[in-house]
Amino acid sequence: MNPDLFNQLARSRRSTFPDQFVAGSKVNDAIIKEILTNATWAPNHGKEEPWHFTVFTGKGLKKLANFQSELYKDLAGENFKEITYGKLQQNPLKASHVVAIGMKRSVNKNIPETEDISAVSCAVENIYLSITAYGLGGYWTTGGITYKEEAKSFFGLSEKDKLLGFFYIGHIAIPSTGATRKSLEEKITWINE
Ligand SMILES: Cc1cc2nc3c(=O)[nH]c(=O)nc-3n(C[C@H](O)[C@H](O)[C@H](O)COP(=O)(O)O)c2cc1C
């Protein structure tokens, strides 16, 4: 373990968006499995491991694109926007892999839903850090159909479960720049006497 290396990893982690990916370039499935194995080592209350990942790649990306754009069209009504429909059609095809992030509700009723969501969020941070370590790009999106009840079954989720979004992964063509964070002093209170 090397804290300096980890500090560098955590602080250089960035979101990389679909238009910044190398078009058509595939990440090895074995690397995706390593990344998702790291995700499953996230902390979780009661050993419930409340994550479920549906991985789309190859022809699967087109299936996701069709499903999410058509569901959006069906549900949008008068709010329908051609630009949103187009992005839901095109964006998955720009990625190497898209991982649908599912939260499967704990069986143990004593565990509040917010803790299952928190555990899956920890898993997503492990995905973010892992892609950074592998020199890959990616980001978590909660756009499109993420919070639609009608979307759940396509991703193997039942009513009490939640779809928390999608993690896009690809090789980086254009790195993200210009990230900022507020000073730590604004975000921390010390109680030490
Ligand atoms: C819960 C969550 C949901 C997000 N949803 C979106 C999204 O729908 N669209 C998007 O462009 N980015 C989304 N992001 C990524 C943020 O845009 C990104 O983290 C932010 O711009 C900071 O950049 P960084 O990740 O490079 O530090 C999401 C991030 C989180 C944690």
Side-chain angles (χ1 to χ4, degrees):
M1 295 293 161
N2 179 326
D4 289 334
L5 268 184
F6 185 78
N7 293 345
Q8 195 190 333
L9 177 75
R11 297 173 200 185
S12 65
R13 179 214 57 77
R14 286 283 70 75
S15 292
T16 310
F17 302 100
D19 286 336
Q20 297 170 254
F21 294 157
V22 180
S25 181
K26 284 283 160 215
V27 177
N28 197 318
D29 283 344
I31 291 176
I32 299 297
K33 281 191 195 168
E34 294 291 350
I35 290 167
L36 293 180
T37 300
N38 291 344
T40 67
W41 282 95
N44 62 102
H45 198 173
K47 296 190 175 170
E48 291 278 354
E49 304 186 29
W51 32 74
H52 187 80
F53 306 116
T54 305
V55 183
F56 297 89
T57 190
K59 288 181 183 157
L61 292 168
K62 187 72 188 154
K63 281 192 182 157
L64 172 64
N66 287 342
F67 174 75
Q68 66 175 12
S69 55
E70 292 313 310
L71 183 61
Y72 168 72
K73 192 190 254 180
D74 289 349
L75 300 178
E78 58 189 27
N79 295 323
F80 178 83
K81 291 192 188 72
E82 198 64 45
I83 190 158
T84 305
Y85 178 79
K87 278 188 180 168
L88 292 171
Q89 262 291 341
Q90 292 307 315
N91 277 352
L93 310 180
K94 296 174 183 171
S96 165
H97 293 72
V98 178
V99 182
I101 312 290
M103 180 280 277
K104 287 220 179 216
R105 190 73 180 96
S106 282
V107 178
N108 180 346
K109 295 276 183 305
N110 294 325
I111 296 179
E113 185 188 63
T114 187
E115 296 192 9
D116 283 337
I117 297 170
S118 300
V120 179
S121 301
C122 290
V124 176
E125 177 67 355
N126 276 4
I127 296 176
Y128 256 123
L129 294 174
S130 301
I131 62 164
T132 307
Y134 278 103
L136 299 169
Y139 85 121
W140 183 1
T141 171
T142 48
I145 60 165
T146 295
Y147 299 123
K148 303 295 181 199
E149 278 300 310
E150 295 85 342
K152 286 180 177 176
S153 61
F154 186 74
F155 303 100
L157 301 167
S158 65
E159 212 177 307
K160 60 189 184 326
D161 305 328
K162 282 194 181 304
L163 179 63
L164 297 184
F166 301 90
F167 203 100
Y168 281 64
I169 299 174
H171 287 115
I172 301 173
I174 307 167
S176 292
T177 54
T180 59
R181 286 297 185 268
K182 297 193 171 88
S183 82
L184 182 62
E185 279 63 40
E186 283 184 46
K187 299 291 179 185
I188 189 167
T189 304
W190 292 89
I191 311 289
N192 52 13
E193 58 183 44

